[in-house]
């Protein structure tokens, strides 16, 4: 069995180990969702995201899961009782069990999610590095764990523009919690660094990417959050 495009042979044992690992993750995440139907659909949903399905919308993901209509997937995303932050913490713990290394680096970066409409939380016309232009999109600030054995996303914050934060009607319609207020991207980055430090994430330094240019650098954010820096790190 050959991995497409890589020329590397995959064995049945390797595929079996991937399946077992995915089963383990599902078992760990399951308690974070209230109903067994939701837990099963979460698996189908993530399977779809990892699949070659070209468009990852409700219809396509539902069809990939063998469902005739998208309503179940839509309910999962819009109304399922689950704890997204608890899922984040569980995944971070899983990553550290397998990749945790004091030589690792915490990397802060942003990415754009191109959108067509105006209803997605935080969407507006703004610059997206992903698209390389100004367009209708959401912006997420991400924290990834770059270790010798792999590079994995461990935290995220969605940037909520001020015009969204100050629009009570729009917030209510989109379901934005009252506790979520406007914050700059460096502020969102600092929150994630503080969470990682509080969780005891082993890392040698913190590295800030494009969205911190002209603003507080990753080094300053790391110092104010109580994080160590690599020798030679500059503020």
């Amino acid at each position: 069995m050959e991995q497409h495009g890589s020329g590397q042979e995959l064995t049945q044992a390797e595929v079996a180990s991937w399946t077992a690992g995915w089963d383990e993750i599902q078992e760990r995440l399951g308690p974070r969702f209230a109903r067994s139907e939701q837990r099963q659909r979460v698996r189908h949903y993530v399977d779809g995201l990892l699949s070659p399905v070209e468009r990852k919308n409700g219809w396509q993901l539902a069809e990939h899961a063998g469902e005739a209509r998208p309503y179940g997937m839509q309910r999962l995303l819009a109304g399922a009782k689950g704890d997204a932050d608890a899922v984040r913490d569980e995944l971070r713990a899983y990553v550290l069990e397998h990749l945790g290394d004091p030589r690792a680096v915490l990397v802060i970066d942003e990415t754009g999610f191109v959108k067509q409409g105006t209803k997605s939380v935080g969407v507006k016309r703004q610059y997206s590095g992903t698209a390389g232009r100004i367009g209708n999109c959401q912006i997420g600030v991400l924290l990834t764990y770059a270790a010798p054995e792999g590079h994995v996303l461990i935290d995220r914050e969605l940037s909520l523009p001020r015009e969204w934060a100050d629009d009570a009607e729009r917030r209510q319609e989109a379901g934005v919690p009252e506790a979520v207020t406007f914050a700059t991207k460096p502020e969102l980055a600092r929150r994630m660094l503080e969470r990682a430090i509080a969780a005891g994430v082993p890392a040698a330094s913190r590295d800030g990417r494009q969205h911190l240019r002209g603003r507080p650098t990753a080094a300053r954010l790391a110092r104010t959050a109580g994080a160590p820096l690599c020798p030679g790190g500059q503020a």
Side-chain angles (χ1 to χ4, degrees), residues 86-176:
V87 170
R88 174 204 61 206
D89 294 346
E90 192 67 54
L91 287 173
R92 181 183 61 214
Y94 178 84
V95 167
L96 296 183
E97 288 172 16
H98 293 272
L99 300 179
D101 192 303
R103 298 170 294 172
V105 176
L106 287 171
V107 181
I108 303 164
D109 204 352
E110 70 174 55
T111 191
F113 306 99
V114 177
K115 297 291 182 179
Q116 297 298 322
T118 61
K119 301 298 185 181
S120 298
V121 176
V123 69
K124 62 174 284 189
R125 284 188 58 78
Q126 55 193 323
Y127 179 78
S128 166
T130 307
R133 57 182 171 78
I134 293 176
N136 200 56
C137 65
Q138 297 168 303
I139 296 295
V141 183
L142 310 178
L143 180 66
T144 56
Y145 189 71
E149 297 299 320
H151 186 192
V152 186
L153 176 71
I154 61 170
D155 205 347
R156 78 287 174 261
E157 287 280 356
L158 181 66
S159 177
L160 189 70
R162 191 176 295 279
E163 54 263 52
W164 265 87
D166 296 341
D167 191 331
E169 183 177 350
R170 197 175 190 187
R171 290 173 60 103
Q172 183 176 10
E173 183 181 1
V176 179

Side-chain angles (χ1 to χ4, degrees), residues 29-41:
L29 298 184
R32 307 303 182 181
F33 296 89
R35 299 170 53 194
S36 59
E37 176 189 355
Q38 294 170 351
R39 293 192 287 271
Q40 186 62 35
R41 186 160 280 122

Side-chain angles (χ1 to χ4, degrees), residues 20-52:
W22 184 215
D23 289 342
E24 178 191 350
I25 293 173
Q26 286 297 312
E27 290 178 3
R28 294 176 67 151
L29 298 184
R32 307 303 182 181
F33 296 89
R35 299 170 53 194
S36 59
E37 176 189 355
Q38 294 170 351
R39 293 192 287 271
Q40 186 62 35
R41 186 160 280 122
V42 165
R43 175 161 191 150
H44 291 325
Y45 175 74
V46 179
D47 283 343
L49 294 180
L50 297 175
S51 76

